[in-house]
Amino acid sequence: MKFGYFDDANKEYVITTPKTPYPWINYLGTQGFFSLISNTAGGYSFYKDARLRRITRYRYNNVPIDMGGRYFYINDNGTIWNPGWSPVKTELDEYECRHGMGYTKITGKKNDLKVNVTFFVPQDYDGEVQQVVLTNEGSAEKTFALFSFAEWCLWDAQDDSNNFQRNFSTGRVEVDGSVIYHKTEYRDRRNHFAFYSVNDSIDGYDTDRDSFIGLYNGFNNPEAVLAGKATNSFADGWAPIASHYKKITLKPGESKTLVFILGYVEMPQDQKFEADGKTINKVKAKAMIEKYSTPEKFEEGMKELRAYWNKLLSILSVTTPDDKVDRMVNIWNQYQCMVTFNLSRSASYFESGIGRGMGFRDSNQDVLGFVHQIPDRAKERIIDIASTQFPDGGCYHQYQPLTKKGNADIGGDFSDDPLWLILSVSAYIKETGDWGILDEMVPYDNDMSIAQTMLEHLKVSFYHIVNNLGPHGLPLAMRADWNDCINLSCFSDTPGESFQTYTNPKFAAEGGYSKVAESVMVAALFTYSGPNYVEILKHLGKDDEAAKAQAEIDKMKKNIMESAWDGDWFLRAYDANGEKMGSKECEEGQIFIEPQGFAIMSDVGKEQGADLKTLAAIDERLNTKYGLVLNNAAFTKYYIQYGEISTYPGGYKENAGIFTHNNAWIICAAAYAGQGDQAFKYYSEIAPAFTEETSDIHKTEPYVYGQMIGGKDAGSDIGQTGKNFGQGKNSWLTGTAAWNMVAISQYILGIQPDFDGLSINPSIPHEWDGFTAIRRYRGATYNITVKNPDHVCKGVASMEVNGKAVEGCIVPLTEGQKEYNVVVTMG
Ligand code: BGC
Ligand code: NOJ
């Protein structure tokens, strides 16, 4: 069942009922000011850091769900309603929500009054602009009351949600005409405030929540709205809010347009106040309000936003035989890559914004899907991430975006982290040809006095693996690898211990984690990412170092085949008891997805057919109609030696859920191995546009990836195997966005930036006759036509560039050339 449809021409998803199976959200803002907005206008805003600089309040896990947002209430002669249906939930005569690129438009109609609200965050602007267009579509004059509503958060979202003994006394506001200012703590330690304005006179306001809503009422029936009139309350402590009240009369056919702005302002210490030392200096706020003070200016901002996105999305656009692929590649997957790049795993409807900052591994992987859009921002991010590395190549697992400092609470010792840096730096060079990034001086642990070049950072990353091998010559698993839930040094039997930060004291003498537990996944990631480091060294003429690094890669491949090949697939790990994990010998969890794709893509055991055997095993044991499960069989009991993974009921999350992120590695591997049909099958099982028809089962947004889909074992724990199979969770912030962008564009469509230029080597469904693509790359435009006359899955029979035949599949770079017309004939 569908709850809307794709409007590709406008790059929008149009939701036609407010009662979606879960709130379907969008993100506004790409720079500093961000908003989350659901299809009923729920959500919140923050500046840069969803924990430390939260502007509006949101209550997670609320009952009912998604209560709290920026709301417009109408009281039309006693009929109370919202254009987004919620929170009043009066049945509407018409409803529509259009989530677009950086904006959301919600339209509701009731009793001939149509209200259309467009929300967006303009470029280079720290605020959410909301245009409300009210139209009387009836034949009689209408007089009604309009109320706006936003609830302020007292800045630190974590403190805001638990330190009530203090916070109920600190809230401060100021009202100046139609502008309500949130200046909590501004007098003392803060240099910032927020405001909510409207570009018209008002008939009243409220700034105190209890006065507006009523202590025993809810968002669904605020007392002031029921009364049809604001109370002009002035918050002094308790819960400060901002609500404008306006009486409006519209003749038949008449419209009124209002522009509201929810803004954030920072002021230098010495300019915070007017001469009285108390009143906020409003110069900057007023300039912000002025910038979008009319519908014309609003339109101008929207035009700029559209132009921005059209330009970004024009860097890669494809026309394939499948319009679902086109809409994923050309619109939604790229859009999601921007969002994950900006927010890492911090703030979504499943990530509370207070738990995690930027992840080392996560952000490096996000770069892979984003780097073609704005390479400069990718570069800056890579440098920020590398700055939280330690001199020995280990690194902080997370850092806070506001301070850019490593997060000491979580610490380091995640075995895979350093390798992702090699991949992100390589991706940046492959995209831009800017080898200069390797010369950048980058600190360790944010200490510039011990800075070294980025190339050195790559070296310590590479050797961090080589220097930390276990008994089989495979990388030590440490606290966890990519799978945060395989914690082989944890052995936790006490509630409250964090699986990721707790390591059993029995390993204290060994340096904090087992020197026996090894990760095959990291071994394979090493053989996959390592060759990039070797190529970089060769390019720099460091042949000896390159040969030395290559020898380590070769040795690792040998070790994998000697100790981690299970006959039909690769093992997952050796646990701290030296036992195999992910082997036929295991009682449960005999096969895991994570090491397989990387091993295949680095040709480990290829000469003995390891790649095809592994792909066959994956298809048999892991594939389902909704994607590939992470492991099989699911764990049905707690394995203390494995850690968090077996705490999840079978079919969910890392215990045999369809963890879409690692599905991409198999899509890539199948494509790499020439199995274009298989690659596309796995791709279409999870790509959101393909799940649209089953939105009632999938539940989360059909335009973006979620982290997890319930696997075939979901429900097995309660004897209802298959219950919730196919149900999505944790939408939006997932490495799946980047990796599936890589999978579809670089592996299936095969348009892959390489160190020496653009490589085109598709691996597509055999039925396809071909496809076309436009790719802007290193300052030139590539018009690509792929023909598939023999209906093969993979193989480049010939390539022509600007009419001339070229050997191989890399388009040779010609200095100064602005246009490459490339024709690839498969066969
Ligand atoms: C989840 C992982 C996640 C981790 C973050 C675990 O509980 O299952 O998916 O990466 O927490 O800390
Ligand atoms: C989500 C985390 O953000 C990511 O870092 C991790 O790799 C996966 N979960 C798997 O555990």
Side-chain angles (χ1 to χ4, degrees):
M1 193 201 288
K2 301 204 296 181
F3 298 83
Y5 59 92
F6 286 96
D7 177 348
D8 294 337
N10 287 308
K11 304 189 175 71
E12 292 171 338
Y13 193 79
V14 188
I15 303 168
T16 48
T17 166
K19 293 172 219 169
T20 44
Y22 207 74
W24 285 1
I25 74 162
N26 193 11
Y27 285 82
L28 315 178
T30 57
Q31 292 154 314
F33 189 101
F34 293 97
S35 295
L36 285 72
I37 181 166
S38 71
N39 58 312
T40 57
Y44 61 94
S45 304
F46 62 92
Y47 178 72
K48 282 193 182 164
D49 191 315
R51 174 176 163 190
L52 299 176
R53 214 45 64 81
R54 186 80 63 99
I55 296 168
T56 50
R57 186 174 284 155
Y58 191 74
R59 294 169 190 78
Y60 277 86
N61 204 0
N62 211 341
V63 181
I65 198 167
D66 196 26
M67 276 297 113
R70 69 293 272 157
Y71 293 133
F72 292 97
Y73 292 92
I74 307 284
N75 182 336
D76 178 2
N77 296 296
T79 304
I80 316 284
W81 60 282
N82 311 102
W85 179 65
S86 198
V88 175
K89 296 189 187 144
T90 297
E91 283 306 315
L92 300 176
D93 300 335
E94 279 177 26
Y95 162 91
E96 184 185 83
C97 168
R98 290 179 171 260
H99 283 317
M101 306 286 103
Y103 65 88
T104 288
K105 288 186 187 193
I106 297 178
T107 309
K109 183 172 163 186
K110 183 80 191 168
N111 297 344
D112 293 333
L113 178 62
K114 189 174 207 159
V115 183
N116 170 285
V117 193
T118 305
F119 305 85
F120 86 114
V121 173
Q123 290 304 112
D124 305 310
Y125 189 80
D126 295 332
E128 178 181 306
V129 183
Q130 310 163 343
Q131 178 173 266
V132 181
V133 183
L134 307 119
T135 309
N136 179 359
E137 295 194 338
S139 49
E141 187 174 274
K142 253 185 179 308
T143 298
F144 58 90
L146 170 75
F147 298 82
S148 69
F149 176 80
E151 183 180 9
W152 303 117
C153 180
L154 308 188
W155 306 116
D156 178 337
Q158 172 136 307
D159 189 72
D160 183 76
S161 64
N162 62 32
N163 192 6
F164 305 110
Q165 61 78 26
R166 169 177 163 81
N167 295 337
F168 281 160
S169 296
T170 57
R172 289 289 176 279
V173 296
E174 204 175 299
V175 180
D176 179 34
S178 304
V179 191
I180 297 163
Y181 291 87
H182 163 37
K183 58 170 188 179
T184 305
E185 284 197 343
Y186 189 59
R187 181 174 68 192
D188 32 278
R189 304 176 304 168
R190 295 192 180 268
N191 69 344
H192 47 268
F193 61 84
F195 66 86
Y196 195 30
S197 68
V198 58
N199 67 339
D200 204 346
S201 62
I202 52 175
D203 298 302
Y205 60 84
D206 270 293
T207 70
D208 170 51
R209 191 184 68 206
D210 291 344
S211 308
F212 178 74
I213 290 186
L215 191 56
Y216 295 102
N217 285 34
F219 293 127
N220 61 325
N221 56 357
E223 277 177 357
V225 178
L226 295 178
K229 179 162 174 294
T231 74
N232 292 350
S233 60
F234 207 90
D236 190 35
W238 294 112
I241 60 151
S243 172
H244 305 92
Y245 156 65
K246 191 165 176 66
K247 271 188 292 194
I248 298 171
T249 300
L250 294 176
K251 294 198 196 66
E254 196 189 352
S255 276
K256 176 157 189 70
T257 302
L258 296 167
V259 183
F260 292 80
I261 295 173
L262 181 76
Y264 170 84
V265 179
E266 286 187 358
M267 295 295 284
Q269 197 63 29
D270 57 344
Q271 292 168 32
K272 279 168 58 169
F273 301 106
E274 313 229 317
D276 65 359
K278 267 176 46 185
T279 313
I280 297 180
N281 171 352
K282 305 185 178 68
V283 174
K284 275 200 196 169
K286 285 191 171 148
M288 280 180 76
I289 294 167
E290 188 49 38
K291 183 134 195 227
Y292 293 102
S293 58
T294 65
E296 292 71 34
K297 292 180 185 172
F298 176 90
E299 226 5 88
E300 197 47 43
M302 282 292 286
K303 235 171 83 190
E304 279 168 24
L305 183 76
R306 278 186 213 276
Y308 173 80
W309 272 105
N310 286 343
K311 187 160 173 235
L312 278 187
L313 296 177
S314 73
I315 297 168
L316 169 65
S317 66
V318 301
T319 309
T320 72
D322 193 325
D323 60 354
K324 296 194 181 80
V325 172
D326 298 356
R327 76 171 55 112
M328 287 315 309
V329 175
N330 300 341
I331 307 171
W332 292 100
N333 198 351
Q334 295 204 62
Y335 183 61
Q336 189 180 2
C337 283
M338 166 69 95
V339 173
T340 52
F341 174 83
N342 284 325
L343 298 173
S344 190
R345 308 296 170 266
S346 67
S348 71
Y349 266 30
F350 298 86
E351 301 280 7
S352 64
I354 58 180
R356 297 199 268 170
M358 315 294 280
F360 192 98
R361 78 158 81 89
D362 295 330
S363 292
N364 273 308
Q365 290 174 84
D366 293 343
V367 164
L368 307 180
F370 170 80
V371 62
H372 65 285
Q373 291 188 21
I374 313 179
D376 288 348
R377 285 194 63 200
K379 178 178 183 178
E380 190 191 329
R381 173 66 50 78
I382 294 170
I383 292 172
D384 285 349
I385 303 170
S387 306
T388 63
Q389 199 169 22
F390 300 117
D392 73 348
C395 35
Y396 278 111
H397 192 50
Q398 290 168 9
Y399 73 95
Q400 282 310 120
L402 206 60
T403 61
K404 298 193 174 174
K405 293 263 170 12
N407 190 339
D409 299 345
I410 311 286
D413 290 338
F414 287 76
S415 50
D416 60 318
D417 273 339
L419 291 174
W420 303 110
L421 183 67
I422 298 181
L423 285 182
S424 68
V425 172
S426 307
Y428 172 79
I429 300 173
K430 288 174 181 178
E431 180 65 35
T432 59
D434 172 17
W435 294 85
I437 190 173
L438 298 169
D439 302 326
E440 294 281 345
M441 293 301 284
V442 181
Y444 290 109
D445 196 3
N446 274 290
D447 181 351
M448 208 53 204
S449 72
I450 49 170
Q452 285 187 324
T453 62
M454 184 65 92
L455 181 64
E456 277 302 312
H457 279 262
L458 297 191
K459 183 174 182 180
V460 295
S461 297
F462 184 89
Y463 284 99
H464 190 68
I465 308 302
V466 175
N467 295 335
N468 288 285
L469 301 177
H472 301 90
L474 302 169
L476 291 173
M478 303 187 179
R479 283 162 48 179
D481 59 26
W482 171 88
N483 190 328
D484 279 323
C485 301
I486 298 185
N487 319 108
L488 303 180
S489 296
C490 190
F491 291 85
S492 173
D493 56 9
T494 306
E497 284 162 356
S498 152
F499 288 100
Q500 287 154 57
T501 55
Y502 177 77
T503 45
N504 199 285
K506 70 182 177 187
F507 299 113
E510 294 177 58
Y513 49 82
S514 161
K515 293 289 184 304
V516 170
E518 297 169 299
S519 165
V520 181
M521 188 263 165
V522 179
L525 183 61
F526 178 79
T527 58
Y528 174 77
S529 55
N532 289 285
Y533 176 58
V534 172
E535 284 216 42
I536 287 174
L537 291 172
K538 284 190 186 152
H539 176 92
L540 300 174
K542 298 179 186 285
D543 290 343
D544 290 352
E545 270 190 66
K548 198 175 141 217
Q550 185 59 49
E552 295 295 348
I553 296 169
D554 295 342
K555 199 168 8 148
M556 187 70 78
K557 289 188 179 179
K558 197 165 144 269
N559 296 348
I560 296 176
M561 282 319 280
E562 269 172 24
S563 308
W565 173 244
D566 204 44
D568 287 294
W569 58 79
F570 296 91
L571 297 181
R572 179 62 178 84
Y574 281 94
D575 69 20
N577 303 320
E579 303 284 342
K580 291 175 184 171
M581 182 182 190
S583 158
K584 286 172 194 150
E585 295 165 18
C586 298
E587 191 192 336
E588 298 182 326
Q590 293 153 343
I591 172 170
F592 281 75
I593 202 168
E594 301 103 318
Q596 320 299 343
F598 293 123
I600 294 167
M601 288 189 279
S602 28
D603 298 333
V604 179
K606 189 177 159 80
E607 57 297 339
Q608 55 195 83
D611 54 347
L612 300 184
K613 276 192 193 162
T614 301
L615 284 167
I618 289 170
D619 201 55
E620 191 196 319
R621 300 278 305 247
L622 303 181
N623 191 38
T624 76
K625 61 179 171 177
Y626 297 126
L628 300 153
V629 297
L630 189 146
N631 55 300
N632 181 260
F635 296 114
T636 58
K637 57 184 184 220
Y638 179 44
Y639 291 77
I640 194 168
Q641 69 273 31
Y642 293 164
E644 185 174 354
I645 186 164
S646 54
T647 66
Y648 285 114
Y652 297 110
K653 293 279 286 180
E654 281 88 342
N655 184 14
I658 296 161
F659 218 92
T660 52
H661 183 152
N662 52 43
N663 278 223
W665 303 335
I666 304 305
I667 300 169
C668 295
Y672 175 83
Q675 299 187 346
D677 289 326
Q678 293 291 84
F680 192 74
K681 179 176 82 177
Y682 301 144
Y683 174 76
S684 54
E685 282 164 0
I686 59 165
F690 292 79
T691 69
E692 192 197 12
E693 296 286 347
T694 50
S695 287
D696 47 332
I697 298 170
H698 188 69
K699 286 196 190 292
T700 52
E701 298 90 336
Y703 39 91
V704 289
Y705 286 97
Q707 179 203 59
M708 201 269 297
I709 298 171
K712 57 186 172 181
D713 301 289
S716 56
D717 218 41
I718 53 164
Q720 294 184 37
T721 305
K723 181 184 158 75
N724 298 338
F725 176 34
Q727 187 182 93
K729 280 186 193 150
N730 299 9
S731 56
W732 279 98
L733 302 185
T734 161
T736 313
W739 269 105
N740 263 322
M741 193 66 217
V742 170
I744 183 70
S745 63
Q746 300 189 20
Y747 283 84
I748 294 181
L749 301 178
I751 306 171
Q752 190 170 122
D754 208 327
F755 288 113
D756 303 321
L758 201 60
S759 159
I760 302 168
N761 187 4
S763 190
I764 52 177
H766 75 275
E767 311 96 68
W768 282 18
D769 291 327
F771 64 91
T772 61
I774 299 172
R775 178 70 156 88
R776 304 198 202 285
Y777 177 70
R778 299 199 193 178
T781 300
Y782 290 67
N783 302 309
I784 301 163
T785 304
V786 172
K787 298 181 180 163
N788 189 19
D790 296 339
H791 288 273
V792 297
C793 283
K794 193 170 186 184
V796 171
S798 66
M799 176 154 103
E800 263 183 25
V801 180
N802 292 347
K804 282 205 205 96
V806 159
E807 280 295 308
C809 45
I810 296 189
V811 183
L813 289 166
T814 309
E815 188 69 36
Q817 189 161 313
K818 287 282 167 231
E819 195 154 5
Y820 296 80
N821 295 313
V822 187
V823 181
V824 170
T825 306
M826 296 176 67

